[in-house]
Amino acid sequence: MVEKVITLENVPLAEFLGEANENIRQIAAAFPQSKIISRGNEIRIQGGAPEILRINDVLNLLLEHVDRFGHITPENVKDYLDVEGVPFEEANRDQVIVFGNKGIVIKPKSANQRKLVESAMQNDLVFALGPAGTGKTYIAVALAVRALKNREVKRIIITRPAVEAGENLGFLPGDLQEKLDPYLRPIYDALQDMVPPEKLKYYQETRVIEIAPLAYMRGRTLHDAFVLLDEAQNTTNEQIKMFLTRMGPNSKVIITGDQTQVDLPVRQKSGLSEALKILKDVKGIGVVNLSGKDVIRHRLVKSIIEAYEKDHYYKEQERNESQSRKNNP
C-alpha cells in the first residue's frame, strides 16, 4: 500500500472540502479501493499506486477549478469524476480547448460544456442553449480560436442581432457598430483571454476575426470560417434562415441562445425557437442544452436561475390550463 499526503495551501478549505467534507467523501466513494482522510489542510491518500495517481489528478483539477472560479460544488466534483458514465481518465483526456494568455487553460468545466465541445467536433452546425453564466458563448469562442490556431479555418466571424435588451440603443453615442460594442463586450473579453493583445488587434484589422451585427451577414457566403451567432433568441424567423443559408464550404457554425430571455416585441416569435422545430429531424445538426447546474459564476447565480426556471414553469402551466378551460368551457 502506498501513501501520499497533499497539503492545501492558499485554498479556502471549507469551500474546497465542501459542507461536512461532501466533496472529499464523493471522491472517496468513487475510489473504494483507496482510503482518503482529510485533516486540517492535509489530505492523506492510502491505496494502490495507479489509483492514487488518479485521485491526485482529480484533486489537482479541483484545485485549479477553485483557483479560477473561487468556489466548487458537489456537482462540479461529479463532473470531474464521471462525465455521463464515462470513466474519469477517458472523460478528461485532451479536454483542454486552448491555452490562453497568462497561463489560462480553457477547458470544459461541466458535463454539458463537454457535450458542447464533443458536439462541435462531430457536427458543422451546433445549437448551444441555456441561461446566462453557463459558459456557452465562452466555450464557443474558445472552439473558434482553437480552429483558427490549428488552421482548420481562415477566419472567425462573430455576430448577433441588433436587438435592445430593455435599453435604448438610440441613446448611445456613435454609429451602429459603436452602439453594439457594449453588448458584444463578453465576446471581446473572451477573445482577450485567449489571443495575445497585439495579435488580436492585427486579426481584427485584417478581418481574420470579425465581429459584426447580424444584418451585415446578408448576401455573404461564409466559407473557411468558424461562425458564432450569439443571442440567437432575438432573431426573427427570416433573420435566422438568412444566417443559416450563409454557410459555405469548410464552415463551422455555433448558435447560442437563451430561450427564456427573448427581447423581441411581444407578438414576434423567436427565430431560434422556430429553427429548432423546423430542423429537429435534419441530420448533422447538434443541439446541446445547458442548465443552472452548468453555471460557473457566483454561487447565487445558479440559485437565481433555478428560481426563474421554476417561475417560468408554473406560468407555462397556468397558461396551458387557462387555454384548456377556454377550449373546453
Coordinates of all heavy atoms in Angstrom, one line a residue, residues 2-47:
V2 N 0.5 2.2 -0.8 CA 1.2 3.5 -0.9 C 0.5 4.6 -0.2 O -0.8 4.6 -0.2 CB 1.4 3.8 -2.4 CG1 2.2 5.1 -2.6 CG2 2.2 2.7 -3.2
E3 N 1.2 5.5 0.3 CA 0.5 6.7 1.0 C 1.1 8.0 0.4 O 2.3 8.1 0.1 CB 0.8 6.7 2.5 CG 0.1 7.9 3.2 CD 0.2 7.8 4.7 OE1 -0.6 7.1 5.3 OE2 1.1 8.5 5.2
K4 N 0.2 8.9 0.1 CA 0.5 10.3 -0.4 C -0.2 11.3 0.4 O -1.4 11.2 0.7 CB 0.2 10.4 -1.9 CG 0.5 11.7 -2.5 CD 0.2 11.8 -3.9 CE 0.5 13.2 -4.5 NZ 2.0 13.5 -4.4
V5 N 0.5 12.3 0.8 CA -0.1 13.4 1.6 C -0.1 14.7 0.7 O 1.0 15.1 0.2 CB 0.7 13.7 2.9 CG1 0.1 14.9 3.6 CG2 0.7 12.4 3.8
I6 N -1.2 15.3 0.6 CA -1.3 16.6 -0.2 C -1.7 17.7 0.8 O -2.6 17.6 1.6 CB -2.5 16.5 -1.2 CG1 -2.1 15.4 -2.3 CG2 -2.7 17.8 -2.0 CD1 -3.2 15.1 -3.2
T7 N -0.8 18.7 0.8 CA -1.0 19.9 1.7 C -1.7 21.0 0.9 O -1.2 21.4 -0.2 CB 0.3 20.4 2.2 OG1 1.0 19.3 2.9 CG2 0.1 21.5 3.2
L8 N -2.8 21.5 1.4 CA -3.6 22.5 0.7 C -3.1 23.9 1.2 O -3.2 24.2 2.4 CB -5.1 22.3 1.0 CG -5.7 21.0 0.6 CD1 -7.1 20.9 1.0 CD2 -5.6 20.7 -0.9
E9 N -2.5 24.7 0.3 CA -2.0 26.0 0.7 C -2.8 27.1 -0.1 O -3.0 26.9 -1.3 CB -0.5 26.1 0.4 CG 0.3 25.1 1.3 CD 1.8 25.2 0.9 OE1 2.1 25.9 -0.1 OE2 2.6 24.6 1.7
N10 N -3.1 28.1 0.6 CA -3.8 29.3 -0.1 C -5.1 28.8 -0.8 O -5.4 29.3 -1.9 CB -2.9 30.0 -1.1 CG -1.6 30.4 -0.5 OD1 -1.6 31.0 0.6 ND2 -0.5 30.2 -1.2
V11 N -5.8 27.9 -0.1 CA -7.0 27.4 -0.6 C -8.1 27.6 0.5 O -7.9 27.2 1.6 CB -6.9 25.9 -1.0 CG1 -8.3 25.3 -1.4 CG2 -5.9 25.7 -2.0
P12 N -9.3 28.1 0.1 CA -10.4 28.2 1.1 C -10.9 26.8 1.4 O -11.6 26.1 0.7 CB -11.5 29.0 0.4 CG -11.2 28.9 -1.1 CD -9.7 28.7 -1.2
L13 N -10.4 26.3 2.6 CA -10.7 24.9 2.9 C -12.1 24.5 2.9 O -12.5 23.5 2.4 CB -10.0 24.5 4.3 CG -8.5 24.6 4.3 CD1 -8.0 24.3 5.7 CD2 -7.9 23.6 3.4
A14 N -13.0 25.3 3.6 CA -14.4 25.0 3.7 C -15.0 24.9 2.3 O -15.8 24.0 2.0 CB -15.1 26.0 4.5
E15 N -14.6 25.8 1.4 CA -15.1 25.7 0.0 C -14.6 24.5 -0.7 O -15.4 23.8 -1.4 CB -14.7 27.0 -0.7 CG -15.3 27.2 -2.1 CD -16.8 27.5 -2.1 OE1 -17.2 28.3 -1.3 OE2 -17.5 26.8 -2.8
F16 N -13.3 24.2 -0.6 CA -12.8 23.1 -1.3 C -13.3 21.7 -0.8 O -13.6 20.9 -1.6 CB -11.2 23.2 -1.2 CG -10.6 22.1 -2.0 CD1 -10.4 22.2 -3.4 CD2 -10.0 20.9 -1.4 CE1 -9.8 21.2 -4.1 CE2 -9.4 19.9 -2.1 CZ -9.3 20.1 -3.5
L17 N -13.3 21.6 0.5 CA -13.7 20.3 1.1 C -15.2 20.1 1.0 O -15.7 18.9 0.9 CB -13.3 20.2 2.5 CG -11.7 20.3 2.8 CD1 -11.5 20.3 4.3 CD2 -11.0 19.2 2.1
G18 N -16.0 21.2 0.9 CA -17.4 21.0 0.9 C -18.1 20.9 2.3 O -17.4 20.7 3.2
E19 N -19.4 21.2 2.3 CA -20.1 21.1 3.6 C -20.0 19.6 4.1 O -20.3 18.7 3.4 CB -21.5 21.4 3.4 CG -22.3 21.5 4.7 CD -23.7 22.0 4.4 OE1 -24.0 22.6 3.3 OE2 -24.6 21.9 5.4
A20 N -19.5 19.5 5.4 CA -19.4 18.2 6.0 C -18.4 17.3 5.2 O -18.6 16.1 5.1 CB -20.7 17.5 6.2
N21 N -17.4 18.0 4.5 CA -16.5 17.2 3.7 C -17.1 16.5 2.5 O -16.6 15.4 2.1 CB -15.6 16.2 4.5 CG -14.5 16.9 5.3 OD1 -14.4 18.2 5.2 ND2 -13.8 16.2 6.1
E22 N -18.2 17.0 2.0 CA -19.0 16.3 1.0 C -18.2 16.1 -0.3 O -18.2 15.0 -0.9 CB -20.2 17.1 0.6 CG -21.0 16.7 -0.6 CD -21.6 15.3 -0.5 OE1 -21.7 14.8 0.6 OE2 -21.8 14.7 -1.6
N23 N -17.4 17.0 -0.7 CA -16.6 16.9 -1.9 C -15.5 15.7 -1.7 O -15.4 14.9 -2.7 CB -15.8 18.2 -2.2 CG -16.8 19.3 -2.6 OD1 -18.0 19.1 -2.9 ND2 -16.3 20.5 -2.5
I24 N -14.9 15.7 -0.6 CA -13.9 14.6 -0.4 C -14.6 13.3 -0.2 O -14.1 12.3 -0.7 CB -13.1 14.9 0.9 CG1 -12.3 16.3 0.7 CG2 -12.1 13.8 1.2 CD1 -11.3 16.3 -0.5
R25 N -15.7 13.2 0.4 CA -16.4 12.0 0.6 C -16.9 11.4 -0.8 O -16.9 10.2 -1.0 CB -17.6 12.1 1.5 CG -17.2 12.3 3.0 CD -18.4 12.1 4.0 NE -19.3 13.3 3.9 CZ -20.5 13.2 3.4 NH1 -21.0 12.0 3.0 NH2 -21.3 14.2 3.5
Q26 N -17.2 12.4 -1.7 CA -17.7 11.9 -3.0 C -16.5 11.3 -3.8 O -16.6 10.3 -4.5 CB -18.2 13.1 -3.8 CG -19.0 12.8 -5.0 CD -19.6 14.0 -5.7 OE1 -19.9 13.9 -6.9 NE2 -19.8 15.1 -5.0
I27 N -15.3 11.9 -3.6 CA -14.1 11.3 -4.3 C -13.8 10.0 -3.7 O -13.5 9.0 -4.4 CB -12.9 12.3 -4.1 CG1 -13.2 13.6 -4.8 CG2 -11.6 11.7 -4.7 CD1 -12.1 14.7 -4.5
A28 N -13.9 9.9 -2.4 CA -13.6 8.6 -1.7 C -14.6 7.5 -2.2 O -14.2 6.3 -2.4 CB -13.7 8.8 -0.2
A29 N -15.8 7.9 -2.4 CA -16.8 6.9 -2.9 C -16.5 6.4 -4.3 O -16.8 5.3 -4.7 CB -18.2 7.5 -2.8
A30 N -15.9 7.3 -5.1 CA -15.5 6.9 -6.5 C -14.3 6.0 -6.5 O -14.1 5.3 -7.5 CB -15.3 8.2 -7.3
F31 N -13.5 6.0 -5.4 CA -12.3 5.1 -5.4 C -12.4 4.3 -4.1 O -11.6 4.5 -3.2 CB -11.1 6.0 -5.4 CG -10.9 6.8 -6.6 CD1 -11.3 8.2 -6.6 CD2 -10.4 6.3 -7.8 CE1 -11.2 8.9 -7.8 CE2 -10.2 7.1 -8.9 CZ -10.6 8.4 -8.9
P32 N -13.3 3.3 -4.1 CA -13.5 2.5 -2.9 C -12.3 1.6 -2.5 O -12.2 1.2 -1.3 CB -14.7 1.6 -3.3 CG -14.6 1.5 -4.7 CD -14.1 2.9 -5.2
Q33 N -11.3 1.4 -3.4 CA -10.1 0.6 -3.0 C -9.1 1.4 -2.3 O -8.1 0.9 -1.8 CB -9.5 0.0 -4.3 CG -10.4 -0.8 -5.2 CD -11.0 -2.0 -4.4 OE1 -10.3 -2.7 -3.7 NE2 -12.3 -2.2 -4.5
S34 N -9.3 2.7 -2.2 CA -8.3 3.6 -1.5 C -9.0 4.2 -0.3 O -10.2 4.3 -0.2 CB -7.8 4.7 -2.4 OG -7.1 4.1 -3.5
K35 N -8.2 4.8 0.6 CA -8.6 5.5 1.8 C -8.2 6.9 1.7 O -7.0 7.2 1.5 CB -8.1 4.8 3.0 CG -8.7 5.3 4.3 CD -8.1 4.5 5.5 CE -8.8 4.9 6.8 NZ -8.3 4.1 8.0
I36 N -9.2 7.8 1.8 CA -8.9 9.3 1.8 C -9.3 9.9 3.1 O -10.4 9.8 3.5 CB -9.6 9.9 0.6 CG1 -9.3 9.2 -0.7 CG2 -9.3 11.4 0.5 CD1 -10.1 9.7 -1.9
I37 N -8.3 10.5 3.8 CA -8.6 11.2 5.1 C -8.2 12.7 5.0 O -7.1 13.0 4.5 CB -7.7 10.5 6.2 CG1 -8.0 9.0 6.2 CG2 -8.0 11.1 7.5 CD1 -6.9 8.2 7.0
S38 N -9.2 13.5 5.4 CA -8.9 14.9 5.4 C -8.8 15.4 6.8 O -9.7 15.3 7.6 CB -10.1 15.7 4.7 OG -10.0 17.0 4.9
R39 N -7.6 16.1 7.2 CA -7.4 16.6 8.5 C -6.7 18.0 8.3 O -5.6 18.1 7.8 CB -6.5 15.7 9.3 CG -7.3 14.5 9.8 CD -6.4 13.6 10.7 NE -7.1 12.4 11.1 CZ -6.5 11.3 11.5 NH1 -5.2 11.2 11.6 NH2 -7.2 10.2 11.9
G40 N -7.4 19.0 8.8 CA -6.8 20.4 8.7 C -6.6 20.7 7.2 O -7.6 20.6 6.4
N41 N -5.4 21.1 6.9 CA -5.1 21.5 5.5 C -4.4 20.3 4.8 O -3.8 20.5 3.7 CB -4.3 22.7 5.4 CG -2.9 22.6 5.9 OD1 -2.7 21.7 6.8 ND2 -2.0 23.4 5.5
E42 N -4.5 19.1 5.3 CA -3.9 18.0 4.7 C -4.9 16.9 4.2 O -5.9 16.7 4.9 CB -2.9 17.3 5.6 CG -1.6 18.1 5.9 CD -0.6 17.2 6.7 OE1 -1.0 16.2 7.2 OE2 0.6 17.7 6.7
I43 N -4.6 16.3 3.1 CA -5.4 15.2 2.6 C -4.5 14.0 2.4 O -3.5 14.1 1.7 CB -6.1 15.5 1.2 CG1 -7.1 16.7 1.4 CG2 -6.8 14.3 0.7 CD1 -7.7 17.1 0.1
R44 N -4.8 13.0 3.2 CA -3.9 11.8 3.2 C -4.6 10.7 2.3 O -5.8 10.3 2.6 CB -3.7 11.3 4.6 CG -2.6 10.3 4.8 CD -2.4 10.0 6.3 NE -2.0 11.2 7.0 CZ -0.7 11.5 7.1 NH1 0.3 10.8 6.6 NH2 -0.4 12.6 7.8
I45 N -3.9 10.1 1.4 CA -4.4 9.1 0.5 C -3.6 7.8 0.7 O -2.4 7.8 0.6 CB -4.4 9.5 -1.0 CG1 -4.9 10.9 -1.2 CG2 -5.1 8.6 -1.9 CD1 -4.6 11.5 -2.6
Q46 N -4.3 6.7 0.9 CA -3.7 5.4 1.0 C -4.3 4.4 0.0 O -5.5 4.4 0.0 CB -3.8 4.9 2.5 CG -3.2 5.8 3.5 CD -3.5 5.3 4.9 OE1 -4.4 4.6 5.1 NE2 -2.8 5.8 5.9
G47 N -3.5 3.7 -0.7 CA -4.0 2.7 -1.7 C -3.0 2.3 -2.7 O -1.8 2.5 -2.5

